Amino acid sequence: MSVYCNIFSTYRYIAILMSFALLVMAITAEVMAKKTSYHNKKIIILDPGHGGHDKGVQGMNGTYEKALSLKLANIIAKELKDKYRVFLTRTDDYWLDIPSRIDAANHLKADLFISIHFGGSFLHKASGICIYYYKEISGSANILEKATLKTIKSNNIQTQWHNIQNRHKTTSHVLAESVKNRINEHIEFAKCKVQGAPALVLSGADMPAVVMEAGYISNPADEKELKDAKVLSNFAKSISKGIEDFFKTHN
Ligand SMILES: [Zn+2]
């Protein structure tokens, strides 16, 4: 009887050990899978424009571009965080120069960079959403380039990878179109268009990159729309869907 008991105990001991080993193997496999899938995820950099002393455009009802760009970036990041590794160049109200914004994206070897801004005009009726991809224009610089050049010169800074964006301009154009299509599908307060521009904020980005002017906050009607949490959430969802569309065709 005692012999059978000993054999039974030994089998039970081995069975417990095997179960434990299988459990450890399963957990290790799961951890490794999670780790691998995390590192395989595309890296997206969202760049909320302005910050700190640089307030950007101010709306008639007190909306600051620096605050709204950060708010929109945070909502987009929440939308995308399960499928992608999303980072913001700034996460609070402080100022960053342009090279620091681009350097962060280049050092992380990001797969996509979106700088988020809002438009401003003395003409309060001015409206619309525009997504810019990098395009060198010989001769006269446009407003966007002049503003960026002024910032760079006044702070005595240089972009490290000047014009490297040229190698990505076709895919950046596709990215701009993907996001535009989704915005025009779901957003009613303004029409979105795509335009090439020699924007220095893009010139040093070594990945598909665009700048968004996500509506005119100098237009009181558009400012009201953008202050609406539901509108802003729909806007963020549209942008996120546009990014997902882009990655479906550009892995
Ligand atoms: Zn801006």
Side-chain angles (χ1 to χ4, degrees), residues 49-50 56-57 65 116-118 213:
H50 310 277
V57 178
E65 184 184 358
I116 300 168
H117 289 256
F118 290 86
E213 280 199 343

Side-chain angles (χ1 to χ4, degrees), residues 48-50 54-57 65-66 69 115-120 144 211-213:
H50 310 277
D54 176 12
K55 296 179 176 70
V57 178
E65 184 184 358
K66 65 171 186 175
S69 60
S115 191
I116 300 168
H117 289 256
F118 290 86
L144 201 65
V211 181
M212 280 193 78
E213 280 199 343

Side-chain angles (χ1 to χ4, degrees), residues 36-48:
T36 307
S37 67
Y38 177 77
H39 287 290
N40 283 342
K41 283 179 177 177
K42 300 278 187 196
I43 297 176
I44 294 171
I45 306 290
L46 301 173
D47 173 43

Side-chain angles (χ1 to χ4, degrees), residues 136-154:
E136 282 181 304
I137 297 172
S138 56
S140 61
N142 71 3
I143 295 167
L144 201 65
E145 185 186 34
K146 279 179 183 166
T148 316
L149 273 171
K150 200 177 152 196
T151 309
I152 285 187
K153 280 178 184 164
S154 67

Side-chain angles (χ1 to χ4, degrees), residues 46-55 66-67 69-70 87-97 100-101:
L46 301 173
D47 173 43
H50 310 277
H53 68 274
D54 176 12
K55 296 179 176 70
K66 65 171 186 175
S69 60
L70 181 59
F87 300 94
L88 270 62
T89 53
R90 71 173 176 94
T91 53
D92 212 331
D93 184 15
Y94 49 83
W95 185 76
L96 273 182
D97 60 37
S100 303
R101 295 168 192 264

